[in-house]
Amino acid sequence: MSRPASGPAPARSTILVVEDDPSIRTLLTSALGAAGYSVVAAVTGQESMFKAGDRQPDLIVMDVMLPDADGFDLTRQLRAQGLYTPVLFLTARTEVEDRIIGLSSGGDDYVTKPFHVQEVLLRIRAILRRTGSSAPASAGRARPPLRYGDLLLDQDAHTVHRAGRPLRLSPTEFRLLACLMAQADRVLEKRAILQEVWQYDFAGDTRIVDTYIKNLRRKIDATPPALIHTVRGVGYCLRLADSSGAGTREP
């Protein structure tokens, strides 16, 4: 087994490992336990759904190909039930389109098999770090809500409203919207968004940004007028009106 990355994780962080291969499951649970996490394991999709609701883990490591279910479908079911626990996919599917489909289902990141344990640990820490920043701030450190037009994002309550209507966003969608709102009316390059929201560059593949923008548009721009605009060849921006003609509605 590869040696885990140094530095213990907070003891309060619980990881649910969903993996039917006993050798991989043992490898991950041992490494995560040594890194300081509390680990819960599941072998089937049905078991994972029960434990996700019962144990309320901080993150789920989800094998895509389970004996009784597809990990992408399970993640969609979790999101439909209002569970937005971050999900890290383990997948043998190496095609970029497959990975994007997985992330579109509500996942937060992916690692392809075969993998190094250190990479899984680093991805987990990165996800927990960026989703943890969306948690309520401690006393004396309250952050002001972000407002733009009829869009309201409360960083401490982790809520979003458009025209007074509450919207459900995944942790990554929430961070992406906060990134756009914090720099509203500015055009943000895709690589800058990757750095801000994902904190690394996905091996240079910026299509993850396009995928999440599509997901976000379905929720934010369901109420007119459209706020999220594309500047072709550059990136995206949040603006009330596209008077320049540079922006379009498709990524």
Side-chain angles (χ1 to χ4, degrees):
M1 182 180 72
S2 300
R3 192 175 183 179
S6 60
R12 59 182 171 80
S13 297
T14 298
I15 310 297
L16 170 59
V17 175
V18 186
E19 173 60 66
D20 65 308
D21 185 309
S23 61
I24 296 178
R25 190 171 62 251
T26 299
L27 172 67
L28 289 173
T29 55
S30 298
L32 289 166
Y37 295 101
S38 174
V39 185
V40 180
V43 177
T44 66
Q46 183 177 5
E47 185 183 9
S48 72
M49 293 294 289
F50 172 77
K51 289 187 175 179
D54 182 60
R55 300 297 296 271
Q56 296 290 305
D58 297 286
L59 183 143
I60 301 172
V61 178
M62 177 83 73
D63 184 20
V64 172
M65 301 178 68
L66 295 167
D68 64 334
D70 181 287
F72 297 161
D73 290 337
L74 290 173
T75 302
R76 291 189 187 96
Q77 292 177 41
L78 289 172
R79 301 303 183 237
Q81 294 175 13
L83 293 176
Y84 290 97
T85 307
V87 175
L88 172 66
F89 288 122
L90 299 178
T91 176
R93 304 176 185 176
T94 58
E95 294 297 325
V96 173
E97 293 303 324
D98 288 328
R99 301 177 207 170
I100 291 176
I101 290 171
L103 294 167
S104 297
S105 71
D108 293 86
D109 202 348
Y110 60 82
V111 174
T112 56
K113 298 179 179 179
F115 57 81
H116 292 287
V117 169
Q118 291 96 330
E119 180 183 7
V120 174
L121 291 173
L122 289 172
R123 296 291 181 101
I124 288 172
R125 288 183 181 135
I127 294 172
L128 290 176
R129 184 169 60 247
R130 67 181 184 245
T131 56
S133 65
S134 299
S138 58
R141 295 178 57 193
R143 294 167 291 180
L146 298 175
R147 300 176 184 271
Y148 192 77
D150 60 0
L151 187 61
L152 173 64
L153 182 148
D154 190 319
Q155 300 179 86
D156 293 339
H158 203 275
T159 58
V160 177
H161 290 77
R162 177 87 197 267
R165 180 172 61 92
L167 303 176
R168 284 186 172 183
L169 302 185
S170 71
T172 302
E173 290 169 346
F174 187 90
R175 284 184 58 83
L176 175 57
L177 181 60
C179 175
L180 294 172
M181 291 183 71
Q183 303 176 75
D185 294 313
R186 287 187 55 193
V187 178
L188 302 180
E189 294 184 358
K190 293 180 183 180
R191 291 192 180 279
I193 295 174
L194 279 172
Q195 180 63 34
E196 177 69 21
V197 178
W198 282 269
Q199 301 180 0
Y200 55 91
D201 66 2
F202 273 87
D205 186 359
T206 59
R207 282 181 289 182
I208 182 62
V209 178
D210 299 334
T211 299
Y212 266 92
I213 287 289
K214 286 182 180 179
N215 293 345
L216 200 55
R217 274 179 172 152
R218 292 190 189 103
K219 300 177 181 182
I220 301 300
D221 288 346
T223 299
L227 295 179
I228 302 173
H229 296 271
T230 302
V231 177
R232 294 194 182 279
V234 183
Y236 300 98
C237 69
L238 196 73
R239 61 164 65 113
L240 281 169
D242 187 32
S243 59
S244 68
T248 66
R249 287 287 300 120
E250 295 300 326

